[in-house]
């Protein structure tokens, strides 16, 4: 009897005491059977139905008498023993003609314990003589005494040692201490849907590497050995790594600048112990070849040029700012950070002040950490190769136990939640831009002497995390409110000026200027900033009711937010008047 092909159905006319079991018997090969539902509804020509009518009391008696047997034997042998008690069955073939066939005559506690009043309900069983009944009872006792033997035959006893020596279990690597690291997805900046892909991955907290962009580090052109025309964007690839930088040219260009340096194996809580000149670093602590240095004047294992924010230097800013070519296709929206400085530092006006240069020899690294502030990060290498290990922003705090756990020697017995962390690993080469969503934990290590460039990003994708960081005050080094205010003011002037030019063109009967990508991004960013300011104005209203002593201060701040919201609304109304439909 093939139990996998058996089905139990209540009869349409059955009562609580009259249960009919239909068992479809398939003579075909077991490997070719179809879906279970198909077998129920469409019976093959080779299938016949064996109908057995049992009383409800008989089923209960059998279950009570054979509880031990059901627990100790597998289901298939349990069913085989019970079905052997049938002596004669009534077979109904496809022509609806009846035919009696003999079946095995093994004892069945169910049939022998049936009530005389219920025997008439069982139509498929023939009369059993008294001698046969006694014989079956004796066989039944014999079978019950052989239960232990059945157990040993079905599940042989195994010692603890035998389980440990099982080859199948050993291949599972239950105690493997290695972490599973995924590869970082690479996307070409010239693909049609790159903006949508990158935006979605940033919202989900997944890193991505952008390839195929030229001009991202144009400020470094004067540092290369081979002359590069100022009008041509740098096409970074492996040739730059092989070529390396010209130390003399770099000294001439920025040699007098003071840069922060970190000692090897520095403390992340205080990574900048002092500052030295670029010329001192290049001459004493930079080993571009990466080989063992025989020059006693060079100590390549001491210092690591760490996070030089060059736009803040007046002399370096004039040479290096406003050189980078933005990503095509609006992959990043409006750069809200470039309006932060304003007129205070004209040498880097209209450029992002949060740009950094890193420079270190082989083995230089920063341990696992995250940068607060709600800003996304881009990392790219100018020369050399850098290994980056990234942990999802939601997993670093919990799965790495407040960064007590390390990536160098992961101990999954001490820190078991590390096994649940989402971790990525990638090696950056020149020409690639790694994009880290805000809050991503990262650890970077130079595989060769490496010069790299990093840049913070703020657009509409991470505007909400930026505002949340301001409320939480998790990064006092970043003036969140000043950045938002300056950005909104400059964007309003930009959109207002475009609206004024459109109105003048309409009044003069001229064709008004077309809406370019810059205006579109400015309007999108200004709309999102309007809602942020509305939330900030609402918070000031709550503060007025909570703190009576500072009522005037909060009232003034609320009025400032209300005024800029009104200016933004007026500008948008004028754009609608000008019928600039693409901005609606």
């Amino acid at each position: 009897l093939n139990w996998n092909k058996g089905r139990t159905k209540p009869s349409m006319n059955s009562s609580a005491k009259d249960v009919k079991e239909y068992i479809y018997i398939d003579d075909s090969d077991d490997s070719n059977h179809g879906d279970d539902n198909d077998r129920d509804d469409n019976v093959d020509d080779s299938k016949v139905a064996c109908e057995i009518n049992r009383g409800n009391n008989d089923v209960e008696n059998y279950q009570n008498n054979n509880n031990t047997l059901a627990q100790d034997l597998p289901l298939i042998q349990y069913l085989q023993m019970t079905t052997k008690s049938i002596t004669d069955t009534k077979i109904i073939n496809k022509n609806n003609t009846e035919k009696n066939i003999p079946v095995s005559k093994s004892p069945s506690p169910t049939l022998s314990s049936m009530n005389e009043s219920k025997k008439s309900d069982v139509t498929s069983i023939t009369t059993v003589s008294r001698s046969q009944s006694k014989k079956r009872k004796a066989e039944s006792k014999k079978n019950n005494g052989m239960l232990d033997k059945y157990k040993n035959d079905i599940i042989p006893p195994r010692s603890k040692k035998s389980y440990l020596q099982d080859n199948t279990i050993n291949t599972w690597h239950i105690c493997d201490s290695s972490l599973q690291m995924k590869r970082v997805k690479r996307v070409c900046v010239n693909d049609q849907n790159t903006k949508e892909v990158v935006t979605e991955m940033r919202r989900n907290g997944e890193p991505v590497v952008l390839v195929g962009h030229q001009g991202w580090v144009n400020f470094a052109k004067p540092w290369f050995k081979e002359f590069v025309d100022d009008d041509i964007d740098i096409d970074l690839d492996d040739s730059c790594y092989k070529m390396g930088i010209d130390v003399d040219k770099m000294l001439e260009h920025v040699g007098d600048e003071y840069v922060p340096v970190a000692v090897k194996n520095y403390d992340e809580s205080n990574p900048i112990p002092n500052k030295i000149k670029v010329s001192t670093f290049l001459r004493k602590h930079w080993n571009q070849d990466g080989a063992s240095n025989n020059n006693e004047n060079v100590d390549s294992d001491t210092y690591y040029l760490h996070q030089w924010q060059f736009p803040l230097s007046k002399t370096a800013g004039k040479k290096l700012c406003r050189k980078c070519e933005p990503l095509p296709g609006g992959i990043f929206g409006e750069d809200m950070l470039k309006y932060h400085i304003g007129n205070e530092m004209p040498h880097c006006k209209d450029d992002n002040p949060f740009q950094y240069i890193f420079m270190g020899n082989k083995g230089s690294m920063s341990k696992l950490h995250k940068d607060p502030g709600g800003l996304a990060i881009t990392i790219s290498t100018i020369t050399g190769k850098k290994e980056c290990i990234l942990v999802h922003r939601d997993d670093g705090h919990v799965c790495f136990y407040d960064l007590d756990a390390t990536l160098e020697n992961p101990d999954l017995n001490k820190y078991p939640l590390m096994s649940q962390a989402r971790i990525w690993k990638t090696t950056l080469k020149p020409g690639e831009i790694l994009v880290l969503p805000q809050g991503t934990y990262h650890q970077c290590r130079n595989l060769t002497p490496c010069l790299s460039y990093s840049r913070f990003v703020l657009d509409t994708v991470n505007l909400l995390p930026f505002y949340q960081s301001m409320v939480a005050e998790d990064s006092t080094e970043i003036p969140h409110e000043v950045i938002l205010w300056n950005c909104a003011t400059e964007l309003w002037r930009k959109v207002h000026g475009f609206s004024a030019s459109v109105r003048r063109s309409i009044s003069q009967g001229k064709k008004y200027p077309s809406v370019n990508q810059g205006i579109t991004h400015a309007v999108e960013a200004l709309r999102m900033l309007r809602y942020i300011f509305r939330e900030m104005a609402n918070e000031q209203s709550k503060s007025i009711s909570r703190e009576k002593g500072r009522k005037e201060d909060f009232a003034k701040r609320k009025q400032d937010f209300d005024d800029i919201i009104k200016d933004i609304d007026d500008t948008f109304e004028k754009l609608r008047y000008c019928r600039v439909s693409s901005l609606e």
Side-chain angles (χ1 to χ4, degrees):
L1 177 65
N2 191 339
W3 173 253
N4 293 329
K5 299 177 182 178
R7 289 295 174 269
T8 301
K9 295 182 180 179
S11 174
M12 296 297 294
N13 299 322
S14 64
S15 62
K17 295 183 179 181
D18 186 12
V19 180
K20 293 183 179 181
E21 292 186 358
Y22 295 88
I23 303 177
Y24 295 120
I25 304 174
D26 188 359
D27 297 333
S28 60
D29 186 9
D30 290 344
S31 61
N32 296 327
H33 62 77
D35 185 76
D36 292 345
N37 297 329
D38 296 338
R39 288 198 299 275
D40 283 347
D41 300 331
N42 303 317
V43 182
D44 229 40
D45 289 343
S46 62
K47 297 178 181 179
V48 293
C50 176
E51 178 179 3
I52 305 172
N53 297 332
R54 290 182 182 174
N56 189 41
N57 294 337
D58 302 329
V59 177
E60 294 178 357
N61 292 337
Y62 186 80
Q63 292 174 345
N64 295 332
N65 296 336
N66 293 274
N67 188 31
T68 304
L69 183 64
Q71 293 178 354
D72 293 339
L73 290 181
L75 183 60
I76 186 65
Q77 293 197 14
Y78 168 72
L79 292 173
Q80 288 175 351
M81 292 182 64
T82 58
T83 54
K84 287 179 182 179
S85 62
I86 304 177
T87 58
D88 244 358
T89 55
K90 186 181 296 182
I91 302 301
I92 306 172
N93 59 20
K94 62 181 180 179
N95 296 326
N96 295 325
T97 60
E98 297 183 359
K99 175 182 178 182
N100 291 333
I101 61 173
V103 190
S104 174
K105 298 182 180 180
S106 298
S108 172
T110 303
L111 299 178
S112 61
S113 63
M114 288 195 313
N115 255 332
E116 289 295 323
S117 60
K118 297 299 178 181
K119 283 185 179 180
S120 59
D121 293 336
V122 184
T123 62
S124 61
I125 306 302
T126 59
T127 305
V128 181
S129 64
R130 291 185 178 180
S131 60
Q132 290 176 336
S133 178
K134 292 181 180 180
K135 185 178 179 180
R136 291 178 183 177
K137 289 181 180 180
E139 292 179 357
S140 177
K141 291 181 180 179
K142 183 179 178 181
N143 289 335
N144 290 335
M146 296 175 63
L147 289 177
D148 293 335
K149 182 178 179 180
Y150 280 118
K151 290 182 182 178
N152 295 336
D153 291 342
I154 298 167
I155 306 177
R158 301 177 63 184
S159 63
K160 182 178 181 181
K161 182 177 180 181
S162 65
Y163 277 107
L164 296 176
Q165 293 176 349
D166 194 321
N167 293 330
T168 303
I169 296 179
N170 290 336
T171 59
W172 291 348
H173 299 290
I174 297 175
C175 298
D176 189 4
S177 61
S178 61
L179 296 175
Q180 300 297 325
M181 299 185 184
K182 299 183 289 186
R183 294 181 178 179
V184 180
K185 183 176 182 179
R186 279 166 164 71
V187 180
C188 180
V189 296
N190 298 316
D191 290 347
Q192 186 174 2
N193 62 338
T194 298
K195 179 181 179 180
E196 290 75 14
V197 171
V198 173
T199 300
E200 185 67 18
M201 295 184 72
R202 288 178 61 193
R203 294 189 187 278
N204 295 334
E206 301 178 10
V208 60
V209 173
L210 303 177
V211 298
H213 182 56
Q214 298 181 9
W216 185 250
V217 290
N218 273 342
F219 63 84
K221 286 192 294 185
W223 304 344
F224 286 100
K225 291 181 178 180
E226 295 182 4
F227 176 78
V228 181
D229 192 347
D230 289 340
D231 297 333
I232 302 177
D233 295 329
I234 290 183
D235 183 11
L236 291 178
D237 52 21
D238 285 338
S239 61
C240 294
Y241 159 67
K242 297 175 182 178
M243 178 174 53
I245 62 172
D246 190 326
V247 174
D248 293 333
K249 287 188 175 182
M250 190 172 182
L251 287 172
E252 180 183 355
H253 199 228
V254 292
D256 294 332
E257 299 293 332
Y258 280 89
V259 294
V261 292
V263 182
K264 189 175 182 180
N265 299 322
Y266 64 88
D267 182 8
E268 283 78 11
S269 62
N270 186 21
I272 314 298
N274 54 40
K275 291 185 177 182
I276 61 176
K277 278 189 175 184
V278 173
S279 58
T280 303
F281 177 83
L282 291 176
R283 288 171 180 153
K284 294 187 176 182
H285 307 290
W286 173 248
N287 182 15
Q288 181 167 247
D289 296 334
S292 58
N293 202 342
N294 297 324
N295 189 347
E296 297 180 356
N297 296 325
V298 176
D299 183 6
S300 61
D301 294 331
T302 303
Y303 283 134
Y304 171 39
L305 195 157
H306 183 277
Q307 204 167 342
W308 174 32
Q309 193 173 1
F310 60 83
L312 300 185
S313 171
K314 184 175 180 180
T315 53
K318 290 181 179 180
K319 300 175 181 179
L320 305 179
C321 287
R322 295 189 294 272
K323 301 290 185 180
C324 298
E325 188 70 22
L327 295 173
I331 296 176
F332 292 153
E334 184 69 24
D335 186 0
M336 298 183 182
L337 295 176
K338 70 181 181 179
Y339 305 108
H340 169 48
I341 299 298
N343 296 323
E344 298 177 4
M345 301 177 69
H347 60 274
C348 63
K349 184 180 180 182
D350 297 332
D351 198 6
N352 188 338
F354 298 96
Q355 302 179 67
Y356 307 91
I357 288 178
F358 297 78
M359 196 172 185
N361 295 290
K362 179 179 179 180
S364 301
M365 64 175 296
S366 59
K367 296 182 180 180
L368 187 66
H369 68 284
K370 77 169 183 177
D371 294 310
L375 297 173
I377 305 174
T378 64
I379 301 175
S380 56
T381 58
I382 301 174
T383 63
K385 297 183 180 181
K386 184 185 292 287
E387 176 191 78
C388 300
I389 300 179
L390 318 169
V391 180
H392 194 276
R393 59 193 177 204
D394 296 336
D395 299 343
H397 176 69
V398 176
C399 298
F400 282 78
Y401 299 83
D402 293 330
L403 301 184
D404 287 341
T406 60
L407 288 167
E408 286 75 18
N409 296 304
D411 187 349
L412 298 186
N413 290 322
K414 186 177 181 180
Y415 306 108
L417 293 183
M418 289 180 67
S419 62
Q420 308 301 313
R422 287 162 286 183
I423 308 176
W424 295 267
K425 182 178 180 181
T426 188
T427 299
L428 285 179
K429 301 182 296 183
E432 299 178 336
I433 305 172
L434 173 62
V435 181
L436 304 182
Q438 73 281 351
T440 301
Y441 292 80
H442 52 284
Q443 174 176 296
C444 301
R445 180 171 62 93
N446 292 339
L447 301 180
T448 65
C450 182
L451 171 64
S452 60
Y453 166 66
S454 179
R455 181 187 185 108
F456 285 169
V457 177
L458 174 63
D459 57 8
T460 55
V461 175
N462 60 319
L463 180 59
L464 176 59
F466 185 78
Y467 170 74
Q468 292 172 331
S469 174
M470 180 188 71
V471 174
E473 298 181 350
D474 62 2
S475 180
T476 56
E477 298 177 355
I478 299 177
H480 295 78
E481 187 172 326
V482 175
I483 292 174
L484 293 175
W485 185 269
N486 291 346
C487 178
T489 302
E490 293 299 324
L491 289 178
W492 172 81
R493 290 174 180 171
K494 184 176 183 178
V495 176
H496 181 76
F498 174 78
S499 174
S501 63
V502 171
R503 285 184 279 114
R504 285 195 301 268
S505 300
I506 293 177
S507 62
Q508 296 174 4
K510 299 180 181 179
K511 183 179 179 180
Y512 55 82
S514 60
V515 180
N516 55 32
Q517 188 181 76
I519 295 297
T520 302
H521 287 172
V523 172
E524 291 175 353
L526 200 57
R527 280 177 170 174
M528 295 298 104
L529 286 170
R530 180 194 181 280
Y531 294 118
I532 296 295
F533 286 135
R534 173 52 61 196
E535 177 64 20
M536 296 173 71
N538 295 340
E539 289 298 323
Q540 299 305 314
S541 299
K542 296 178 183 178
S543 299
I544 292 174
S545 60
R546 287 195 304 262
E547 302 182 27
K548 302 295 184 180
R550 301 179 56 190
K551 182 177 180 179
E552 295 183 359
D553 295 338
F554 292 126
K556 184 179 182 304
R557 285 170 56 82
K558 181 181 182 304
Q559 186 61 44
D560 292 339
F561 293 133
D562 290 338
D563 289 344
I564 194 170
I565 291 172
K566 183 179 178 181
D567 291 339
I568 294 173
D569 291 341
D570 291 343
T571 300
F572 285 162
E573 186 63 29
K574 292 176 182 178
L575 285 175
R576 295 187 185 97
Y577 173 77
C578 297
R579 297 180 181 179
V580 185
S581 58
S582 61
L583 298 179
E584 293 297 323

